[in-house]
Structure formats: C-alpha cells, structure tokens
Amino acid sequence: MTEQRAGIEEISIKDLGVIADASLPLGPGFTALTGETGAGKTMVVSALGLLLGERADTGAVRLGSPQAWVEGRWRVADGGEVVERVRDAGGDVDPLGQGAAELVLSRSVSAEGRSRAVVGGRSAPVSVLTELGGQLVVVHGQSDQIRLRSAVAQREALDRFAGAPLAAAIDVYSQVFHRWRDNRAELEEIVADQDRRAREAEDLRLAMAEIEAVAPQPGEDVELAERSERLSNLEDLRLAAATARELLSAEESEGTDALSLLDNARRHLERVSSHDAQLVGVAEAVANANYLVSDVAAQLSTYLATLDTDGARELEIVQERRAELATLIRKYGPALDDVIEALETGSSRLFELDGDSERIDQLRAEVEADAELVTELADGLSRMRREAASRLSDEVSDELTALAMADARVVVEVTEREEFTASGRDQVSILLQPHSGAEPRPLGKGASGGELSRVMLAIEVVIAGSDPVPTFIFDEIDAGVGGASAIEIGRRLARLAETSQVIVVTHLAQVAAFATNHLTVVKGSDGSVTESSVRQLTGDERIAEMARLLSGLPDSESGLAHARELVDMASVKR
C-alpha cells in the first residue's frame, strides 16, 4: 500500500450504552478521544470490542432500543491474509486501488441477547471477527496491564521484538517438537500395550490356523445344506423317481404305461385321419406328447442312475463338514462370509502386530534423534531470545527515562525450564527495577498502575520498530499519570503513530495535545434520557476542549492560553 497505511477509517455506533447515534472519523495517525466523565468514551472502546469479536453484553443496549449496532470501515492490504480470511468466510472487500481495499465489519446485539456479525457483506460467525481482530488491532487497557503480567504475554512480547528471524526459528523448532512428541506418545503406547498386543497376535494366529485348516469356500454352507437335505431323503427320492418312470415307460406293463397308451392313441388317430383333416393335427400332438414323455422317462432313468449307492456314508461326510463350518461361524461369524473375511483381514492385522518390535526400534531411533534435535533447536531459540532480551531491556529502559522514570530499568530475563513446549523451553520474565540498587521485581508486584501504563507503552513503542501492528487502541493508558510524564506519554504515542494507527481514550490534555485527530464525546440531556454523540474538533473548539481537560473550565482565559501553549509545544515536539 503506497498512499496510506492500513487502519480503521470510520466507526459508526447506534444505540450502544449512552450513545444514541455517532460516527467516528479516524484515519491514519494519532486520534485522541476525550469527553466528560460518563459521556460514553468507554462505549467507544466497547464498540470496537464488539467489532473485534468480544462477548456481547445485552446490558450495553440503549434503554428502550431493540438492538445496538456497530459498523467499522477498515483500510486493508488487498490480497493479504485478512482479505483471504474474509473471502473464506463468504464475504469480500471493495478495491481502492494501489494495493488497498476497504473492508466493512458490523455487529448487532439485540436486547434479548441475540448477536449477529457481518463480514464483508455476508453473515459470519463471531469467531471470524475474533480472528480478523487479532490481525488488525491491539487493544490496551487496564485489563491488558494485567495480561502483561503473565509469563505467556511477556514471552510473546519478547518474540515480537525479536522479529522474523526468531519466528522462522520457532516454526522449524515447532515442526520437530510436534513430530518428536507424537512419536514419543506412539512409542509409549506401543510399549505399554506390548503384552496385550502380543496376546492378540497369538490369538489371531490360532484363529487363522483354525480357519485355514477348514478352508471354507464362499457359499459352501448353502450348498452343503442342500446336499444334506437330498441325502437325508434318498430312499424317498429313489422310490418316487422309479415309480414315475415305471408309470411312464415300463418294460412289463401289458400296455398300461403312459408311452404304450399314447402310442395306441396315435395309431388309432392316424388310421382314420385321412377321412377328416382335423384329426391330422390331433394325431401330431399325441405323437409330440409321446416324444416328451419318452424324454422325461429317460431323464428319470438318468436321475436314478446318479443317486448315490452309499448315501449314508456321503451324508455323514456332509454333516461332518457342516459341523466344522458351524463351529467357525459360531466363533468368527455371524455368517460364513464373515469367517472368510476374518481370514483375509487377519493377515494384515497380524503383520501389523508382528511388526511391533521393528516399529519400536524405528520409533526409538527417531525419538532419540529428534530429542537431540529438539534440544539443539531449543538452545538456539534461547540464544536468540537472550540476545533480544538484552536489546529489549536497554531500549525499553531508555524509553522509561523519557517517560519520567529515569531511575527505573526494565530487565528481561530468559531462563530455561526442564520441560519443552511448542515454543521452546524458555521462561521469560519482564522485571522492573525501580531504582539503582533495588532488586528487580515482577511487574505485578513491583509496579503501580501508572508505572505499568508507562512500561506497557514503552514496550509497544520499542516493539513497533521491528513488528508494527496496523492499529493500537489505548484505553486510558495515562491513568495515574500527570505533568511531565503525561507529556512524554503523548510524545511516545505520537512516535508510535508514525508506523501504526493509534487511537487513545484519554482524560489528559498533555496526551491529547499530540493527536493529529481529536474527537470528543458530547453529552446532552433532556432531563431524563442522556444521549451522547461524537464530534471532531479543530481550531478554537479543540482549544476549548483542551482547556476543559486542564482546568475544567472551557472558557477560562488562562485555561485557553495554557491549552494553546500545550498544543503549540506538542506540534513542535511531535
């Protein structure tokens, strides 16, 4: 992006808390947001929180309104990770030219608690706002000062300062670490389960041997059942077939079998068919019937010849085979096909189980090699972090000197833990030494709220030089600070705004004086309902607001003079 950096262009708010309807023109640089106590400055930060995926609070919906609504217009790099995530969610951006695009995010919260997010013109889960917010904005407030006290947040701050070289080294380490961890877990599982798997392999070998000994064939059980039925009724079948054959064609039947009767019928009809043509067809039909009956008689003779002479012995063999198959089906069924499949799949499973020893040896070798590599890479991360920690300590301490903490020094310590994690094995601690000779103490124990604010700002200013963030939002970072310290905070915020968009909610004129864009939340009241809106201040209006911040009197001559002097001073120092 060539003309303008990424950042929030404008935020529109409707029916959120005491804000009925407001529009905040933001843009690049340093924006200060001021206003009377209770006017709704915090609601502006809450609105931003909604756009960044924070949990919706139904109590923030303006009394009597059906819902609160917030919309933000962002200027982003066209084609970057943010745009890619928006399109993955089904939304899109509007190209602005020169590598820039406009992204619109919105969020509504109903009085009943329903929340709806819109990303790039399409409804999306609130989690998408959270993902995008992590890439677009860093928010600092009193809760974030508490977050800065955690070991994880302090390590992340150091890693951001160390920049791309450390990030690349962490990626390489993380891949090896996860491979080492996964292989180690598999190795432990196989070793711990080795006895059970050995028993399973032995049981499987016995089962396969039993099945292979019987060697069942597909459909064999059905075929044997049919043969058993036939053999069990062999005498009835022989008697019925022999009787039927005798009735159709008997050697000594005295002309009473079916073939003899049909032959007599044919001869009688043929003898007189010359007298009546209709009988010719009938005679032919009788002749055909004779042929058919003769064929059936021949089939019966063949059938009788194929009947087993020793049916009892064959039936015994069939029943024994059926019993063998039934035993297999009972053990490995419920059907014969399941038994055959068990034999087929058992081979691959047995191969897997028998390969445990080989797999264990392979895993042990890989785990040992990766353990050495993890240690080596983690040592490399530690060296990089210690070098970065030394530089971060010096640079943040220099910043604190300019923030009226000249005697204070930040000490960034990197110590190694015994266990490895996905980010290495370093424990990072940011300590504050309030004055020379004092023992450095953790931020949560050795710093007041005002000191924490200045330490946090100093860290962000230093880190921004190596890892810039599109937008910083500071919610009353100047709490507990005043005088010269406040001026230095304003100057440092202005310096941070040289590389990032900076939005600050403040009650100090010394901080607001350094802003390039000054917005104020204006409170009005009709006696029962308080409404607030946002105005952009320039010229005399801005001077009057600065005077109010200084003395509480927007029209005091001395206050106005002091305000002009402060603005002039800030423009020079900025």
Side-chain angles (χ1 to χ4, degrees):
M1 297 173 60
T2 57
E3 288 188 350
Q4 186 175 311
R5 298 190 303 268
I8 311 172
E9 292 287 290
E10 184 179 57
I11 294 176
S12 300
I13 305 171
K14 186 174 178 62
D15 294 328
L16 182 67
V18 296
I19 299 179
D21 194 354
S23 179
L24 285 72
L26 298 172
F30 178 1
T31 295
L33 184 65
T34 63
E36 296 179 10
T37 301
K41 299 189 297 298
T42 301
M43 283 298 104
V44 174
V45 178
S46 298
L48 283 164
L50 289 175
L51 290 177
L52 300 177
E54 291 183 4
R55 184 176 180 180
D57 180 8
T58 57
V61 179
R62 183 172 170 78
L63 185 63
S65 300
Q67 68 174 11
W69 175 84
V70 184
E71 180 182 87
R73 292 192 299 109
W74 261 264
R75 187 182 182 92
V76 297
D78 196 359
E81 292 183 7
V82 169
V83 173
E84 182 179 345
R85 183 65 186 94
V86 169
R87 288 174 177 157
D88 285 344
D92 208 345
V93 297
D94 295 324
L96 298 175
Q98 297 183 325
E102 182 179 77
L103 167 64
V104 178
L105 306 177
S106 65
R107 178 97 175 269
S108 63
V109 181
S110 72
E112 292 78 22
R114 294 186 301 274
S115 175
R116 179 172 180 263
V118 177
V119 175
R122 292 289 296 273
S123 293
V126 174
S127 59
V128 177
L129 293 180
T130 305
E131 292 180 43
L132 294 173
Q135 300 181 64
L136 294 171
V137 178
V138 170
V139 180
H140 281 299
Q142 294 299 318
S143 61
D144 298 284
Q145 293 177 12
I146 297 173
R147 186 184 67 85
L148 189 62
R149 301 177 190 181
S150 76
V152 173
Q154 292 177 11
R155 179 187 56 75
E156 290 174 348
L158 176 60
D159 288 355
R160 281 180 56 207
F161 174 73
L166 178 61
I170 290 175
D171 285 342
V172 173
Y173 164 85
S174 179
Q175 293 177 15
V176 177
F177 168 79
H178 285 102
R179 184 178 66 205
W180 169 67
R181 184 190 62 183
D182 294 344
N183 285 343
R184 186 178 62 177
E186 182 182 353
L187 175 61
E188 291 173 352
E189 179 182 355
I190 293 178
V191 170
D193 212 22
Q194 200 168 14
D195 290 342
R196 184 197 64 78
R197 291 167 70 92
R199 288 194 301 272
E200 181 185 352
E202 183 60 28
D203 292 344
L204 190 55
R205 263 188 288 272
L206 292 173
M208 292 179 64
E210 184 179 6
I211 296 173
E212 287 173 343
V214 176
Q217 301 299 313
E220 185 181 4
D221 54 339
V222 175
E223 179 186 348
L224 289 173
E226 293 174 353
R227 288 182 62 187
S228 175
E229 179 71 15
R230 177 172 176 267
L231 292 169
S232 297
N233 297 277
L234 194 62
E235 290 304 318
D236 289 344
L237 293 172
R238 182 181 287 110
L239 178 61
T243 301
R245 187 191 62 181
E246 287 295 322
L247 290 172
L248 294 176
S249 175
E251 294 180 357
E252 299 178 359
S253 61
E254 298 180 356
T256 59
D257 62 313
L259 284 175
S260 299
L261 294 174
L262 287 170
D263 190 55
N264 286 334
R266 176 184 60 77
R267 285 198 300 271
H268 283 295
L269 291 173
E270 288 179 346
R271 191 167 52 245
V272 299
S273 61
S274 60
H275 304 302
D276 190 345
Q278 290 183 5
L279 291 179
V280 173
V282 175
E284 291 178 353
V286 172
N288 289 333
N290 189 292
Y291 298 144
L292 291 173
V293 170
S294 177
D295 185 58
V296 170
Q299 291 181 36
L300 287 172
S301 296
T302 302
Y303 175 77
L304 286 168
T306 61
L307 287 178
D308 306 280
T309 57
D310 190 5
R313 175 57 186 156
E314 185 180 357
L315 178 61
E316 181 181 350
I317 294 172
V318 169
Q319 296 294 49
E320 288 177 356
R321 180 64 177 174
R322 292 186 70 193
E324 290 177 341
L325 296 181
T327 300
L328 294 182
I329 291 172
R330 187 167 56 253
K331 287 184 177 181
Y332 312 111
L336 185 62
D337 288 343
D338 298 312
V339 176
I340 297 171
E341 183 180 357
L343 182 62
E344 294 173 351
T345 59
S347 299
S348 59
R349 176 59 177 165
L350 188 59
F351 179 79
E352 177 186 342
L353 294 171
D354 285 342
D356 275 358
S357 296
E358 181 180 346
R359 180 60 177 158
I360 287 173
D361 292 341
Q362 177 188 354
L363 284 173
R364 277 181 175 151
E366 292 178 1
V367 168
E368 289 174 4
D370 279 344
E372 293 180 5
L373 188 53
V374 164
T375 301
E376 178 184 338
L377 293 173
D379 289 343
L381 295 181
S382 298
R383 286 192 298 271
M384 296 177 73
R385 285 192 174 113
R386 282 194 292 269
E387 187 276 331
S390 177
R391 290 189 290 112
L392 182 61
S393 298
D394 292 341
E395 294 184 31
V396 173
S397 296
D398 290 343
E399 283 294 319
L400 290 180
T401 299
L403 289 171
M405 294 177 66
D407 295 331
R409 177 172 176 77
V410 163
V411 179
V412 183
E413 289 185 348
V414 179
T415 56
E416 291 185 358
R417 296 171 296 189
E418 291 186 4
E419 71 276 9
F420 294 91
T421 68
S423 59
R425 58 176 174 180
D426 297 322
Q427 174 81 37
V428 177
S429 302
I430 300 180
L431 310 174
L432 180 64
Q433 185 180 28
H435 54 82
S436 178
E439 186 72 21
R441 301 185 66 190
L443 290 178
K445 297 180 180 179
S448 65
E451 288 172 332
L452 267 179
S453 296
R454 282 177 278 179
V455 171
M456 184 172 63
L457 176 57
I459 290 174
E460 290 294 3
V461 169
V462 170
I463 292 177
S466 57
D467 181 32
V469 172
T471 300
F472 286 99
I473 299 172
F474 294 97
D475 184 12
E476 296 192 356
I477 191 176
D478 48 21
V481 180
S485 298
I487 291 176
E488 290 305 324
I489 286 179
R491 191 155 67 91
R492 287 310 184 272
L493 289 168
R495 176 179 162 186
L496 187 59
E498 293 174 2
T499 56
S500 302
Q501 181 186 41
V502 175
I503 302 169
V504 180
V505 177
T506 182
H507 64 280
L508 294 181
Q510 294 91 332
V511 172
F514 286 87
T516 54
N517 180 36
H518 192 154
L519 305 177
T520 185
V521 182
V522 182
K523 179 171 66 173
S525 177
D526 61 2
S528 59
V529 177
T530 298
E531 291 187 1
S532 296
S533 60
V534 178
R535 291 171 53 194
Q536 188 173 38
L537 301 179
T538 58
D540 291 342
E541 284 187 329
R542 185 185 183 204
I543 297 299
E545 172 65 5
M546 297 285 289
R548 185 193 67 78
L549 292 172
L550 286 167
S551 63
L553 301 172
D555 52 1
S556 165
E557 288 297 328
S558 60
L560 292 170
H562 189 185
R564 290 189 185 93
E565 180 183 2
L566 191 58
V567 171
D568 291 341
M569 176 274 300
S571 65
V572 173
K573 288 193 174 185
R574 187 169 61 231

